[in-house]
Amino acid sequence: MLAKIREFIKDETKCERIDLPENTKMRVQDFDLWYDDTQALKSVDMDVEEYKVTAIIGPSGCGKSTLIRSLNRMNDTIPSVRTEGKVWLDGYNVYDEVTDCVDIRRKVGMVFQKPNPFPFSIEDNVFYGCEVNGMDMDKEKKVKKCLKDAALWEEVNDRLDENALSLSGGQQQRLCIARALATEPEVILMDEPCSALDPIATAKIEDLIDELKNHYTVVIVTHNMQQAARVSDYTAYMYLGELIEFGDTTQIFENPQENSTEKYITGRFG
Amino acid sequence: MISRSSKDKIIRFIFFGIATFSILIISFIFLFLFSRAYPAIEEFGTGLLSNDWSVARREFGLFPALYGSVFVAVGALFVSVPLGLGAAIYLSEIASNRVRMILKPMIELLAGIPSIVYGFIGAILLGRFLYDTYNMRGVNSFFAAMLVLGVMALPIIISLSDDAMKSVPKDMKDASLALGATKWQTIRNVTIPGAISGISSAVIMGMGRAIGETMAVMLIIGSVMRMPVPFFDIFDTGHTLTALIAVQMGESHGIIINVLFTAGVMLFTIVAIMSIISDILQTRTKQKYEGKR
Ligand SMILES: Nc1ncnc2c1ncn2[C@@H]1O[C@H](COP(=O)(O)OP(=O)(O)OP(=O)(O)O)[C@@H](O)[C@H]1O
Ligand SMILES: [Mg+2]
């Protein structure tokens, strides 16, 4: 019912749109963001290529989380935030006033820094997105598929009705990935998904990201330089709210054009 | 110099003492209540739970007052829970910080208004209004008491539920929103279930306030020691345990005093049961968040 009304109100023809280059899934264009009076993003331009992994790196507080949260309008939940500029998804303006955040977030899923499963059963966690979006499907099949895709099925298939909070941190994080996959997003945002995990759990997630890029476009924030080098195809380096350098991961790590980038990746920062 | 470990011991001893002291005081109150109630229980037995109250015939059935207390409190919940929860949802999830900063202290201020004022307003304005406009049988009724108590319980229910919903981690709400849930779906599926133990204890506190309230009720309930007919007639008059104690105390002596103490024991028991229920709910939710269930 609600979904119907939403469709009715939302007039896609009214949404501002442009033609993006063939392989470009998302584009951030001249994007500024303020928390009250402090500017956290300064005129950021960045392209996200389809079926590739784009990493965002930079020192703490440079605006990585702010940028990635801008891609699915999660910053809308913070009252003090004000934005200027555009973010395009498949050529549609994410920040157009006729755009519905709910639709954006369904297409652009998110995994947070700290694993944050709901205090429900494992299967209810996975199915939550389908439920709230009124997606009519076989729950059992769906849960199985998503858990398999998130490389968690083997570990939990005999206790799907158990509380998700009884899982280990790494399992919880993979559950959060499974949960994000359930709404069939096209882009998956990950904000330091491994920072609360041990090396083995981290390796599992990294393998998973490698798998995911066959079907999804991935954007990942990390402050682990090796991780960025290992998993990503493109890397964006940010400093103090500005996107300093963006390019092929190999190029950024082997031949950075900017002084600041080189300092950061060689660990001679500050 | 006192060593660190003996300092630790001293502090622990002090707190242990304070805790023991409070428990002792409460036990003494209960012992005292019970010992003063005992003569009446010994003399009248289950007669105390009957419907018949007549000082002249030495019949002291407390049931109408017991029923009245629970009836009024439950009725008050029908007023205060929907309104209180709605207001709390607005305050914690919808209102801007500025609005919240103005409204919350105002609501908490309402909790500080002496109950006699509520009772007075209820009796003079509400009772009269109901009498004049709807031709109700009298100025006093359960209905008027339920309304007044419902409004009285509002501040505490709003304030505690708001705190409970605010304390649901933003992580959880964000997770729900990021999956494409609307704000309302998030409130319904994540915020309210996450805050349910806090909300239930808010409701129980509100109910406790309604059951314990005396002055306001005395002015509008009618203070008639009989059951409403039929028993669910909210426009009839009646009595509550608290009002009974307050009304009778001054002019009573001998065994009647002991009967009133029995009413006190009943009140104590009701409130104790409610707080046990609240405790159970709290533990359940806590277990859920620790992944034990
Ligand atoms: N909710 C907020 N309100 C006000 N300022 C904020 C808020 N969130 C972030 N900021 C500010 O915006 C800037 C960028 O923060 P952000 O969280 O995006 O950094 P980050 O690059 O993700 O850092 P980290 O690596 O530590 O996670 C910081 O200066 C921070 O203080
Ligand atoms: Mg961050």
Side-chain angles (χ1 to χ4, degrees):
Chain A
M1 169 76 177
L2 267 178
K4 278 212 182 96
I5 295 174
R6 218 156 55 218
E7 260 169 41
F8 182 65
I9 296 172
K10 203 189 95 187
D11 187 356
E12 282 211 354
T13 55
K14 278 214 190 107
C15 183
E16 189 184 1
R17 66 162 305 171
I18 55 165
D19 288 321
L20 290 180
E22 175 117 27
N23 288 327
T24 305
K25 185 70 185 170
M26 295 190 84
R27 167 172 287 176
V28 182
Q29 187 183 349
D30 196 11
F31 196 80
D32 301 295
L33 185 146
W34 290 264
Y35 294 106
D36 285 321
D37 294 330
T38 39
Q39 190 165 5
L41 294 179
K42 295 173 189 158
S43 178
V44 172
D45 287 293
M46 185 177 92
D47 277 6
V48 176
E49 197 176 319
E50 194 161 29
Y51 303 128
K52 294 277 191 270
V53 178
T54 305
I56 304 173
I57 59 171
S60 182
C62 69
K64 305 180 295 292
S65 297
T66 307
L67 177 60
I68 201 170
R69 288 167 62 91
S70 298
L71 299 180
N72 65 344
R73 289 185 59 171
M74 277 310 283
N75 285 325
D76 289 23
T77 64
I78 302 168
S80 65
V81 164
R82 193 162 52 82
T83 64
E84 245 169 53
K86 284 161 189 164
V87 175
W88 306 96
L89 169 67
D90 292 331
Y92 288 97
N93 184 3
V94 169
Y95 282 82
D96 196 292
E97 53 184 28
V98 303
T99 311
D100 190 338
C101 290
V102 169
D103 294 329
I104 297 299
R105 290 175 192 154
R106 220 176 114 175
K107 277 195 184 170
V108 185
M110 184 158 208
V111 176
F112 296 79
Q113 176 167 359
K114 221 178 94 211
N116 56 355
F118 302 119
F120 314 153
S121 70
I122 293 172
E123 53 186 351
D124 286 351
N125 261 280
V126 177
F127 205 65
Y128 183 84
C130 303
E131 189 128 356
V132 294
N133 285 300
M135 291 160 80
D136 192 20
M137 47 182 54
D138 185 352
K139 182 170 177 181
E140 208 176 308
K141 259 195 198 150
K142 181 84 197 176
V143 169
K144 184 170 176 181
K145 181 175 184 322
C146 295
L147 286 173
K148 276 194 162 158
D149 288 350
L152 187 60
W153 176 252
E154 302 300 325
E155 289 156 66
V156 300
N157 62 38
D158 54 344
R159 46 174 172 149
L160 294 177
D161 55 349
E162 232 170 73
N163 192 316
L165 294 175
S166 62
L167 297 174
S168 75
Q171 289 172 326
Q172 287 187 14
Q173 194 62 306
R174 274 177 287 149
L175 178 66
C176 291
I177 295 174
R179 184 175 68 179
L181 297 181
T183 55
E184 293 164 19
E186 293 159 19
V187 182
I188 297 175
L189 311 175
M190 300 183 170
D191 189 353
E192 298 184 26
C194 305
S195 66
L197 307 181
D198 67 22
I200 294 171
T202 300
K204 276 194 180 153
I205 303 258
E206 285 181 10
D207 288 346
L208 181 57
I209 292 171
D210 242 13
E211 283 291 314
L212 288 178
K213 76 176 185 187
N214 295 323
H215 306 281
Y216 306 90
T217 305
V218 179
V219 181
I220 180 172
V221 167
T222 173
H223 49 203
N224 176 336
M225 232 79 62
Q226 288 79 26
Q227 183 171 64
R230 273 196 304 264
V231 302
S232 72
D233 303 291
Y234 296 96
T235 297
Y237 169 68
M238 291 185 71
Y239 182 56
L240 295 179
E242 282 179 82
L243 193 121
I244 305 291
E245 194 170 349
F246 178 73
D248 253 32
T249 297
T250 28
Q251 177 254 306
I252 296 278
F253 279 90
E254 278 162 21
N255 185 21
Q257 303 298 303
E258 302 287 331
N259 218 335
S260 158
T261 317
E262 184 175 356
K263 267 195 195 157
Y264 181 69
I265 58 177
T266 52
R268 284 188 286 116
F269 200 82
Chain B
M1 264 316 269
I2 312 171
S3 78
R4 198 173 292 165
S5 72
S6 52
K7 217 189 227 168
D8 216 44
K9 258 186 212 149
I10 292 170
I11 291 173
R12 216 174 324 154
F13 185 76
I14 290 174
F15 279 97
F16 178 75
I18 293 173
T20 321
F21 186 65
S22 352
I23 293 169
L24 270 182
I25 288 186
I26 293 170
S27 334
F28 279 138
I29 291 176
F30 186 69
L31 276 180
F32 176 73
L33 251 184
F34 198 79
S35 70
R36 297 299 303 271
Y38 188 71
I41 296 173
E42 195 180 27
E43 182 160 350
F44 302 112
T46 51
L48 288 169
L49 288 171
S50 79
N51 277 342
D52 310 305
W53 175 278
S54 158
V55 178
R57 276 183 276 129
R58 282 179 70 82
E59 284 172 350
F60 300 107
L62 288 169
F63 190 76
L66 176 64
Y67 176 78
S69 277
V70 176
F71 189 39
V72 167
V74 171
L77 287 188
F78 277 93
V79 177
S80 56
V81 169
L83 287 179
L85 210 53
I89 288 173
Y90 172 75
L91 266 191
S92 79
E93 304 302 307
I94 298 166
S96 69
N97 272 343
R98 258 214 355 262
V99 172
R100 183 184 147 83
M101 257 158 56
I102 300 168
L103 282 185
K104 183 120 201 226
M106 278 170 66
I107 286 166
E108 274 159 6
L109 205 64
L110 286 181
I113 296 179
S115 61
I116 187 73
V117 176
Y118 282 99
F120 194 57
I121 295 174
I124 301 297
L125 291 179
L126 185 66
R128 279 257 161 256
F129 172 78
L130 291 173
Y131 183 60
D132 292 346
T133 357
Y134 297 105
N135 253 329
M136 279 180 190
R137 271 159 274 164
V139 175
N140 299 318
S141 65
F142 276 113
F143 182 65
M146 287 167 178
L147 281 183
V148 168
L149 288 186
V151 170
M152 272 178 69
L154 267 181
I156 203 169
I157 291 187
I158 295 176
S159 184
L160 291 180
S161 310
D162 168 67
D163 289 343
M165 287 193 263
K166 268 279 174 226
S167 66
V168 173
K170 187 165 184 299
D171 273 12
M172 295 283 173
K173 300 175 192 169
D174 277 1
S176 169
L177 291 171
L179 287 164
T182 60
K183 195 163 193 168
W184 172 239
Q185 286 173 326
T186 302
I187 291 172
R188 205 182 50 197
N189 296 323
V190 175
T191 314
I192 293 181
I196 197 67
S197 76
I199 293 173
S200 343
S201 39
V203 169
I204 288 170
M205 295 277 278
M207 197 166 167
R209 169 133 208 220
I211 284 191
E213 179 46 41
T214 311
M215 293 310 285
V217 172
M218 239 167 74
L219 292 181
I220 41 181
I221 195 104
S223 304
V224 199
M225 208 34 188
R226 58 169 172 73
M227 291 287 288
V229 188
F231 68 91
F232 51 81
D233 184 2
I234 53 175
F235 299 114
D236 207 343
T237 49
H239 224 325
T240 64
L241 291 169
T242 50
L244 178 74
I245 296 174
V247 169
Q248 296 279 331
M249 192 176 59
E251 53 207 59
S252 301
H253 44 78
I255 195 77
I256 303 184
I257 293 283
N258 302 115
V259 171
L260 296 183
F261 270 106
T262 314
V265 170
M266 287 176 176
L267 274 172
F268 190 98
T269 314
I270 296 175
V271 175
I273 290 173
M274 291 192 324
S275 98
I276 289 170
I277 293 174
S278 153
D279 251 23
I280 292 174
L281 289 171
Q282 302 259 19
T283 333
R284 284 248 177 105
T285 325
K286 207 165 146 238
Q287 280 173 348
K288 194 165 140 193
Y289 274 89
E290 282 163 2
K292 291 207 187 105
R293 251 164 41 94

